[in-house]
């Protein structure tokens, strides 16, 4: 099993550009989530999904969109990048929801100039 | 605001010593989880303790939970240089709309 994979590993965007961070898991997990990690802030939940076709907002959803068309994939879209979105983004999955062990991807380091 | 708050923020110990890290939280929880993050990597799950449990062990890890004080501790015994990492507690608060909330983390340095 590859576990949770994320692409790209690094990305530099200019303010106003859009892009999609990819996340895929091969463990048939229903629950998937996106976090951002900033120095001194810990991890903050952006969006999550409890299964294909179902998504919901987390703590910091503004400026991000998600969709979940398959169990395996959970892409995160930045609509119009801002410097405040410079961060490290982690995707995670779990077999049964937030109350269980989360498997994290390796992260995407995004810089917005 | 953060549900889980770890302390200390940073800890430096000698190899072979024990490391104790604490996590406090504010509201009732279903469970509390501890994760490790090596530099530049994703988080790795270490241990989960449910609200009706008081202590759990996994190898050199010992986790305690005191729901009356709303606190948990993670003890790493006989530390190794490879234990150098950041450690996070994550709380799963009760309530249907609650989210898994991570603290800001503790940076542990184990000197060889």
């Amino acid at each position: 099993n590859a576990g949770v994979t994320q692409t790209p590993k690094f990305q530099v965007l200019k303010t106003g550009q859009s892009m999609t961070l990819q996340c895929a898991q091969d463990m048939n997990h229903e629950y998937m989530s996106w976090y951002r990690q900033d120095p001194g802030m810990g991890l903050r939940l952006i969006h999550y999904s409890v299964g294909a076709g179902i998504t919901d907002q987390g703590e910091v959803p503004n400026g991000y969109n998600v969709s979940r068309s398959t169990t395996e994939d959970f892409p995160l879209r930045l609509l119009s990048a801002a410097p405040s979105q410079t961060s490290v983004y982690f995707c995670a999955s779990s077999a049964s929801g937030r109350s269980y062990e989360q498997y994290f991807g390796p992260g995407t380091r995004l810089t917005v100039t | 605001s953060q549900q889980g708050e770890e302390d200390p923020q940073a800890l430096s110990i000698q190899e072979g010593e024990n490391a104790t890290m604490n996590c406090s939280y504010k509201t009732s929880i279903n469970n509390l989880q501890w994760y490790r993050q090596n530099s530049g990597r994703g988080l790795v799950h270490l241990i989960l303790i449910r609200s009706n449990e008081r202590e759990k062990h996994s190898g050199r890890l010992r986790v305690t939970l005191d729901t009356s004080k709303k606190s948990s501790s993670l003890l790493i015994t006989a530390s190794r240089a490879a234990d150098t990492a950041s450690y996070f507690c994550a709380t799963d608060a009760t309530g249907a709309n609650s989210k898994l909330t991570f603290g800001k983390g503790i940076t542990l340095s184990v000197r060889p």
Side-chain angles (χ1 to χ4, degrees), chain B residues 6-99:
Chain B
E6 300 98 338
D7 85 271
Q9 288 188 322
L11 183 60
S12 181
I13 59 174
Q14 202 74 33
E15 208 166 26
E17 293 180 337
N18 296 342
T20 299
M21 291 167 268
N22 302 300
C23 173
S24 59
Y25 57 92
K26 296 173 183 162
T27 62
S28 297
I29 59 171
N30 295 313
N31 67 60
L32 185 145
Q33 304 176 35
W34 285 92
Y35 289 80
R36 183 188 75 233
Q37 183 181 34
N38 290 93
S39 181
R41 310 290 288 273
L43 278 74
V44 174
H45 183 265
L46 294 177
I47 200 163
L48 180 154
I49 186 165
R50 302 197 184 284
S51 60
N52 61 353
E53 298 175 311
R54 292 297 166 257
E55 187 171 313
K56 278 189 90 167
H57 296 256
S58 177
R60 293 184 296 113
L61 306 181
R62 172 178 168 252
V63 168
T64 61
L65 179 65
D66 187 334
T67 53
S68 67
K69 294 182 179 177
K70 292 188 170 56
S71 67
S72 173
S73 67
L74 170 67
L75 170 67
I76 304 175
T77 59
S79 63
R80 305 167 181 167
D83 295 327
T84 294
S86 294
Y87 292 80
F88 295 84
C89 70
T91 48
D92 173 29
T94 57
N97 295 322
S98 295
K99 314 292 187 290

Side-chain angles (χ1 to χ4, degrees), chain A residues 31 35 37 40-45 48 56-59 90 98-107 109, chain B residues 2 30-31 33 35 37 40-43 45 48 50 88 92-100 102-104:
Chain A
Y31 185 88
Y35 291 87
Q37 184 177 32
M41 298 291 291
L43 278 81
R44 291 182 291 170
L45 181 65
Y48 67 98
D56 206 347
Q57 296 181 350
E59 182 184 355
F90 289 99
R98 72 173 198 267
S99 298
Y100 297 86
E101 175 181 356
Q102 306 294 311
Y103 292 81
F104 281 83
R109 186 174 293 275
Chain B
Q2 296 291 120
N30 295 313
N31 67 60
Q33 304 176 35
Y35 289 80
Q37 183 181 34
R41 310 290 288 273
L43 278 74
H45 183 265
L48 180 154
R50 302 197 184 284
F88 295 84
D92 173 29
T94 57
N97 295 322
S98 295
K99 314 292 187 290
L100 186 65
F102 286 80
K104 297 179 183 178

Side-chain angles (χ1 to χ4, degrees), chain A residues 28-103:
Chain A
N28 202 32
H29 285 172
E30 290 294 331
Y31 185 88
M32 296 184 74
S33 56
W34 276 101
Y35 291 87
R36 59 178 288 174
Q37 184 177 32
D38 302 293
M41 298 291 291
L43 278 81
R44 291 182 291 170
L45 181 65
I46 304 172
H47 285 285
Y48 67 98
S49 169
V50 298
I54 307 169
T55 64
D56 206 347
Q57 296 181 350
E59 182 184 355
V60 287
N62 291 344
Y64 307 95
N65 270 1
V66 291
S67 59
R68 185 95 179 270
S69 55
T70 67
T71 298
E72 295 77 21
D73 300 299
F74 190 42
L76 177 72
R77 279 181 286 278
L78 279 70
L79 309 172
S80 176
S84 61
Q85 294 178 305
T86 293
S87 187
V88 182
Y89 291 85
F90 289 99
C91 179
S93 74
S94 171
S96 303
R98 72 173 198 267
S99 298
Y100 297 86
E101 175 181 356
Q102 306 294 311
Y103 292 81

